[in-house]
Amino acid sequence: MDIGQAFTFSALGSQFLVGLSRAMILFIVSAGMSFVLGVLRVPNIAHGSLYMIGAFSAFSLAKLFGGGSGGFWLALILAPFVVAIVALVAERSLFCHLYEREHLMLLLFTFALMLILGDLVKMFWGADYRSIMAPEALQGSVSIMGSPFPRYNLFLLIIGPWVGVGLWFFSNKTKIGKIARAAAVDREMVGAIGINVSWVFAFAFVLGCFLAGLGGALVSPMVSVSIGMDHDIIMEAFLIVTIGGLGNMWGALVGSLIFGLTQAYGVLFWPQFAIVFPYIAVVIVLTWRPRGMLKSVW
Amino acid sequence: MKGKFFTIGLAILGGLLAISLIIFPANVQARNIKVGIIDCYSGPAAVFGKDALNGFKLALEDINKKGVLGKKIEFTTRDTKFKVDIALNMAKELVMRENVDVLAGTINSGAALAVSDAVAKKEKVPFMVWISKSERITGEKGHRYVFSTGENTAMAGKAGGVALSKKPYVKYWVGGDDYSYGHDIANAAWRNLKALRPDVEMIGKSWWKPGEPDLAPYITAILGAKPDAVIFCTGGRSMTNIMKAIKATGMAEKVPVWVHTGTDHAVLKPLGAEGPEGVMGTMDYHFYYPETAANMAFVKAFQAAYGGPPGFPAFHGYITAHLIAEAYKKAGSVDTEKFIDALEGLKIQSPAGELEMRACDHQVTLPMYLGVTKMSAKYGCVISTDIITLTGDEVLPTCVEIKKARGK
Amino acid sequence: MFKGTFSLKSLILLGAIFFVLLILPSIIPRFYTYILAVIFVTALVAMSLNMVVGHGGLFQFHHGAFYGVGAYTVALMLTKTSLPIWVCFVAGPIMAALVGLLIGAFCVRLTRLYFGMLQISLGSLIWAIAFRWYSLTGGDDGMHGIPIPSIISSSKGAYYFALIILAICIMVIYLIFKSPFGATLQAIRDNPDRCEAIGVNVKRHQLIAIVIATFFAGIAGVLFVVVEGSVFPDLLFWVFSLEIFIMCLLGGWFTFAGPILGAVIMVSLRTFVGIYTEYWTLILGIILILLIFFLPEGVWGYVLEKFGSRHKEAIEKGSK
């Protein structure tokens, strides 16, 4: 590609926006994983499975509500709750009994959960590709700086920060959010002052999975909703959380931005090797700051 | 206490399982013809594996009415989960334990190549590959015991090259999934296009992770480079994503795009009205074209049995079953070597007309249908229209080329 | 903590098992010979992982990367060079250990979860390279038909080769386990701060353990190529690494022989349940959950606890 073309303001600008919108979905999903990691101190390997369930739920809900624009909005709002319920059931029936155990047992549990949820999705929804259509208002593209920018990506750019603000508000301004953050740092102390730590963990897990479901629902109009989505997202979420700082939600934001933007610009300058960019970015960041860019919660 | 109960239970279960498998090794009844199928029934490729199996089963219903050499054809399946090591394990299990006569499957090219070498060639069991598209399967890595009833990247590339050579475009951008399938299509298409039109120029390439959800950044970058036309080499996973991205960015209205299997109904149907129009695609099977009696009958039977129209994997599965049956009939006995000899050069009637299992490379001479997507009110989604047919002979590599690839 | 000192009873038992394994290929169908060979390879990679996880307490989440490096090295050397077989076979584990040293040096700076996540990141980079470098590694098509001399590539040949190498490796790992180095490593696992305080160079010990473990993983990779004759990027993928990790936990990561049992269970489950249903991952997940609840010290750990009184104290200490 003519390198001169790559440097036009228009190209750089539109790639920036595109990278940003990609980062928004990554942020929502990895913030969820980061939150769980911070409070429960275990990376939720089943996070991708819940993301996938979010996408499938959005598909089914949209179909249930008639498939049109209204259906989509309803599906988008309800799908994360469906996922949250699944998470709650898994947590209260099984996971919560393991909190006193060795850490690796929790990890093993999330792995087993991923296996089970993956097959359950296949049993319930089948192997065919599904597709959701974005509502009318969000279809097509607008011309930004001369390049077509899909309206749906614009929507993501607006929604992402709101989710971020909502999360910040939740963890800093609400009582339960503050308790969760405290439990992340020192669970014994929280237990000692009479708070039921188990319920705090339940809340954290469910909230994290809610976010995963939201991410899945948001991404569904852009991709084919199919089994195997869980494997796609989990590695990216892992890496983002690692470079952002374990348990730190702003770190998840920073990590997502790094991922989204390196990919968008990598595509512009060296489109042949786009697949290795995220990994190289991770290696660079971790060489410089092995514990992640921002402070980890613990 | 719980632990003891559990361990003993597990041990008994394990013991029973082991004993049952050794005492009842496999179905050793009135020795029917057994086909062992390894395919992917989990993950994003499952929709294709299932389709192929359905096509195969449909054909067997007819075939088993009359039987083959006084026997029925039965089959058993194994899920490889798109993993090569599991495919190897399962293929060996089918050959060594179930004693299948023929192996069939899979969609994963890596698995197909591995099984072709380690099981088909080593154990001398014929392996009919029905979805994997790597040209290496019947090309450089081909041998006596492997056959392909699906189209491969060399054929797709030639079809694309031939089709595009007739257009006035000179500056091309090539993009696709960053794995061997994507690269193979790109190389084959470019090789053929350049041979027919030495004036064409590749101004850039983009490769993304297979399954990449957000392809908008790639498209905007490509549009910025202003090519005359774009060649996309995407696999099943990214196909929906690229179609959605093309529609969302309105790419097809700005620059011509060719995508192999872009007109695959399995992808276009769920998209509905969201499928992009004006995209060029090649496929080796459409259930709506050609509207021959044979095709219509096949589609009708398939629809009645499985509730939806057949896709290209179903078509491949269907012809595989018929090829197996006809070859055994011609061979006159359930003997592997005679079966292979009978298969070579065998011609059968299929929903797409007469097809031949070429002797020099064990590849079926499938036609290629080149079309342009357009909205169809009848099907509620975009389908391929203005279809031009390229015959098998026009798209397959020549026997001379195959010999050269195999280093002979 | 020890599987059994060299008491006469244990030696006879081990000898008997080994003898049975030696004569098995003559009596069981060929497929079982093949599966046992696969189990041997998997058992070796699980044992090598347990050297750092069970004995060392490190969260080695991407051990498969080293296994894959060993396999790819020997595959590349056998297909692209005409060096003698033995050179290629030895190059595999050496390369794996070198990569282990490199990645290990990066990771030991950190502890616990950070260590694991960093390792996943770096290991995934290796996967991406193998996947992308099509001209060298065959990308996701993999490399097949790797020339292995027929005495060891036949079903029986591969079986015996894998069995012998496995037996030797287990003995070596056992010796390391019982050596002062091994004892130090376990002490570091249990209380790194105290060890630091008494002057043990914790990081260096961990790094050495990683290099040794990755060396054995490389050997397992070479065995894989002998048994299957192919390599492909799946070997380097994080899901496989997690599976090996699960094998150690399943078998009992505080025991010596636990990972072997874990490997047996996982491979058998995958193969034999897979014959009956395509939902075997669901069944695996359920069994794992049951195991977590009822047998947290792993199957072998549980067996030892029940049938070996001297180990009880060690197990109790471990499962806390």
Side-chain angles (χ1 to χ4, degrees), chain B residues 253-265:
Chain B
E253 288 142 33
K254 302 188 171 72
V255 72
V257 180
W258 173 70
V259 187
H260 178 59
T261 73
T263 41
D264 183 3
H265 196 68

Side-chain angles (χ1 to χ4, degrees), chain A residues 15 122 129 132 221 227 232 271, chain B residues 41 44 205 207 220 237 244:
Chain A
Q15 284 305 96
K122 186 166 83 159
Y129 289 172
I132 303 184
I227 48 183
D232 289 340
Chain B
Y41 301 111
K205 288 195 248 195
W207 298 107
T220 48
R237 274 169 87 191
K244 288 198 182 205

Side-chain angles (χ1 to χ4, degrees), chain B residues 20 132 184 189 209 219 285 352-353 364 404:
Chain B
S20 74
S132 297
D184 285 345
K209 182 181 96 182
I219 295 187
Y285 179 73
V364 169
K404 213 170 88 175

